[in-house]
Amino acid sequence: MRDVNSLVAVVFSGLSALVIEDVVDDGQVVRVLARTRDVPVPCPVCGVPTGKVHGYHVRTVADVPVDGRQVVARIRVRRLVCSVLGCRRQTFREQVPGLIERLQRRTTRLTSQVSEVTKELCGRAASRLTRYLATPLSYATALRLLRRIPLPTVRAPRVIGVDDFALRRRHRYATIIIDAETGERVDVLPDREAATLEAWLRTKKGVEVVCRDGSATYAEAIRRALPDAVQVSDRWHLWQNLCDKVLAEVRAHAPCWATVNPPRPGGIHEQTIRERWHKVHALLDSGVGLLECARRLSLALNTVKRYARIPEPSADRITPRYRPTLVDPYRDHLRQRRAQDPAVPVTHLLDEIRELGYTGSANLLVRYLNQGRAEGHRPVTTPRRLARLLLTHPEHLWTKDTDLLGLLTAACPEMTALARLTGEFAALLTPAQANHDALTQWITTVRTADLPHLHSFCNGLELDRAAVNAGLTLPHHNGRTEGANTRTKKIMRQMHGRAGFDLLRHRILLQ
């Protein structure tokens, strides 16, 4: 018997505040019969302990499962009589602190465990999971438990990060505010209007630094609410803006650098673009409207508008991606034979490589030759690939990429200047006090170069120069805010179409 009691004390240690009288196994449910201890209990009104019993009640509560089965505890509690004359509570039902609370049907520890599940999965997903954990809940109960979880108390932050996220893309947005030093969520605002953020900032004391992106709306709200606060422009957004301008410059100078690495024969995409551009402009020059052009050429109206806007056919090229084929081992032989005799029939080439061991079909060889793969295996350089080479740290490039980048930039003086200026700005993204003067020198150098898209980038820097200087000289950034946004997107995917902003805000602040 002593061993059985010891086992019960271990398995049901969470019920140690009670006297366990019996444990019954009903198959799927383990029922525990228990009672409270015969000790005086303080009155909830006057606080005077009393042990005088007025009557008994039975409470049925669920506890954490054992051996994959539900545990239901039937607990006999006492109704006690207060011994103080004139007390407003003549009788009261005793509670078991830390075990069961008033009006609850679950023990405190079970409620705590289930609340953690609902905090991560919300309603319906939590309901499905708890069914397998032997603690079944309805989705409505899961939501009620989630809403009852108190929000953590966040100290007044000194450095905050502000960013927006889409509730419904292109229609509704919200603003998230975090402690930029610890990553703790501070608040979530229902929109991204300047007045809303300004009203929130006016209620907060002690904010000295605000990290943000290039939003003029947030900048104005911060300036009006906290004129003495330092605004820090996020370095990642500065780099992203530069990347867009670099790509635009590369596309604008494609006719220069593209001659270094011309496309192989069979550029169907480029040929189609040129043909469509000539057809559209021929119709426009003859007085045909955009809508009629779209109808005659069987193109979308937006496509016709795009061709009408550009003064010459786009030089963009798409890098072909081919899978290995049976012809690849014989590429050198095909290239040599076609160089000696460009008019050599395909049937002769097929016979020759079959003697060398080729086992593929004639159609595969014809397609291989039509794609231009016999002339060389050098990939076609696209504007996006060249921009990627320019924006990648030189130490992270392969030797062949470094050589290709040198050839492409040397073919065009503007590309040479662009490569140099991009590297110089990348060095400024490491915070240092000297970056303030270095940025001024960099902007002056850009103004003298024939790079109009970088001029536009410099104009944006000048408009927000104080925040940009702070971003390049101070260690603060908006990285933790972007991480919080990523987490928020996952939460929104779990709740999509099933909850409102108040529940979304509650879950974000619980993370």
Side-chain angles (χ1 to χ4, degrees):
M1 181 60 69
R2 180 178 303 172
D3 295 338
V4 173
N5 292 335
S6 301
L7 179 62
V8 170
V10 171
V11 175
F12 302 103
S13 59
L15 304 178
S16 58
L18 306 173
V19 177
I20 300 177
E21 297 180 334
D22 194 9
V23 178
V24 180
D25 183 3
D26 288 352
Q28 297 298 323
V29 180
V30 177
R31 302 190 183 277
V32 179
L33 304 180
R35 62 177 176 83
T36 58
R37 298 185 181 276
D38 297 329
V39 295
V41 176
C43 173
V45 176
C46 63
V48 177
T50 179
K52 186 178 180 180
V53 179
H54 180 272
Y56 295 95
H57 298 273
V58 176
R59 295 189 61 178
T60 303
V61 296
D63 195 21
V64 294
V66 172
D67 193 26
R69 290 177 291 178
Q70 299 181 45
V71 174
V72 177
R74 290 177 57 85
I75 305 173
R76 192 191 71 175
V77 297
R78 300 172 296 171
R79 178 170 288 277
L80 302 173
V81 178
C82 182
S83 58
V84 178
L85 296 177
C87 180
R88 290 186 291 107
R89 293 289 297 272
Q90 297 182 358
T91 64
F92 61 92
R93 182 184 298 179
E94 67 175 330
Q95 306 296 327
V96 185
L99 181 60
I100 53 177
E101 298 179 0
R102 187 169 179 269
L103 303 179
Q104 293 300 304
R105 301 299 298 272
R106 297 174 186 82
T107 59
T108 302
R109 62 174 183 168
L110 177 60
T111 301
S112 177
Q113 293 182 10
V114 174
S115 296
E116 289 299 320
V117 174
T118 58
K119 185 172 70 173
E120 295 295 331
L121 300 179
C122 204
R124 295 184 184 275
S127 177
R128 290 193 295 268
L129 179 61
T130 54
R131 197 178 306 136
Y132 293 100
L133 298 179
T135 55
L137 295 174
S138 68
Y139 78 93
T141 302
L143 289 180
R144 283 197 299 271
L145 290 174
L146 175 61
R147 292 181 186 274
R148 289 173 183 170
I149 301 177
L151 295 178
T153 302
V154 181
R155 62 177 179 83
R158 187 182 68 88
V159 183
I160 64 173
V162 180
D163 200 4
D164 63 340
F165 64 92
L167 296 174
R168 184 185 176 194
R169 190 172 296 277
R170 295 186 296 274
H171 290 84
R172 292 181 58 210
Y173 289 82
T175 300
I176 186 170
I177 304 171
I178 73 164
D179 187 334
E181 294 180 313
T182 64
E184 294 177 305
R185 280 65 166 169
V186 177
D187 206 346
V188 183
L189 306 181
D191 55 47
R192 58 176 180 179
E193 301 296 330
T196 305
L197 179 59
E198 179 184 356
W200 186 90
L201 290 173
R202 289 186 184 277
T203 63
K204 303 300 176 182
K205 303 299 181 181
V207 176
E208 301 176 3
V209 181
V210 181
C211 303
R212 58 170 176 81
D213 55 14
S215 171
T217 301
Y218 288 157
E220 181 63 20
I222 298 167
R223 185 190 63 80
R224 291 200 299 254
L226 302 173
D228 297 331
V230 177
Q231 298 189 39
V232 178
S233 184
D234 186 51
R235 293 185 290 275
W236 183 88
H237 287 89
L238 294 177
W239 180 250
Q240 183 188 39
N241 293 340
L242 178 66
C243 293
D244 295 339
K245 300 303 181 181
V246 168
L247 179 58
E249 289 290 357
V250 170
R251 285 175 171 167
H253 292 84
C256 301
W257 57 262
T259 57
V260 176
N261 191 13
R264 297 192 297 265
I268 300 177
H269 178 76
E270 297 82 5
Q271 181 179 356
T272 301
I273 290 179
R274 289 193 296 270
E275 292 177 354
R276 286 182 177 179
W277 184 88
H278 287 296
K279 290 180 181 179
V280 169
H281 280 264
L283 292 175
L284 293 176
D285 294 341
S286 62
V288 179
L290 293 174
L291 190 60
E292 181 63 19
C293 286
R295 188 189 64 81
R296 293 187 184 184
L297 299 177
S298 299
L299 297 175
L301 179 60
N302 287 338
T303 303
V304 174
K305 289 180 179 179
R306 185 171 66 251
Y307 283 117
R309 282 195 298 266
I310 57 178
E312 59 184 12
S314 174
D316 288 359
R317 294 179 292 172
I318 296 179
T319 303
R321 296 183 180 181
Y322 301 120
R323 295 180 179 179
T325 68
L326 297 175
V327 189
D328 288 339
Y330 313 100
R331 178 189 292 126
D332 294 338
H333 176 79
L334 295 173
R335 184 185 307 157
Q336 181 180 0
R337 289 285 289 115
R338 286 167 67 89
Q340 295 172 355
D341 184 8
V344 59
V346 177
T347 54
H348 292 182
L349 295 175
L350 178 63
D351 294 337
E352 293 174 6
I353 62 176
R354 278 182 173 170
E355 292 178 359
L356 297 175
Y358 174 66
T359 59
S361 65
N363 288 338
L364 182 60
L365 175 61
V366 171
R367 185 164 63 250
Y368 193 89
L369 296 175
N370 289 340
Q371 291 172 347
R373 299 174 67 181
E375 278 66 25
H377 58 275
R378 182 176 58 182
V380 177
T381 304
T382 64
R384 190 172 294 276
R385 184 179 182 220
L386 176 54
R388 182 183 64 81
L389 296 178
L390 286 170
L391 297 168
T392 302
H393 195 284
E395 296 181 357
H396 299 161
L397 290 175
W398 295 96
T399 303
K400 61 177 182 179
D401 291 335
T402 303
D403 297 339
L404 177 61
L405 179 61
L407 289 175
L408 296 176
T409 54
C412 179
E414 287 80 8
M415 290 295 98
T416 304
L418 181 63
R420 185 185 73 257
L421 293 171
T422 301
E424 292 175 356
F425 188 84
L428 297 177
L429 296 179
T430 301
Q433 290 299 324
N435 285 348
H436 179 279
D437 297 332
L439 178 62
T440 302
Q441 181 61 36
W442 186 84
I443 294 177
T444 303
T445 305
V446 170
R447 298 293 189 190
T448 61
D450 185 18
L451 299 170
H453 293 92
L454 282 194
H455 294 174
S456 174
F457 175 69
C458 291
N459 293 338
L461 295 180
E462 293 288 4
L463 291 175
D464 199 19
R465 185 60 188 275
V468 172
N469 288 338
L472 299 181
T473 57
L474 299 179
H476 308 298
H477 56 84
N478 230 22
R480 290 188 175 91
T481 314
E482 296 295 338
N485 271 350
T486 301
R487 175 72 172 174
T488 299
K489 292 174 184 176
K490 191 200 81 166
I491 294 174
M492 292 178 62
R493 285 193 294 269
Q494 291 178 338
M495 303 169 52
H496 181 70
R498 297 185 180 274
F501 174 77
D502 58 334
L503 184 59
L504 174 63
R505 176 181 179 275
H506 194 81
R507 288 198 66 195
I508 292 174
L509 296 179
L510 287 176
Q511 301 302 317

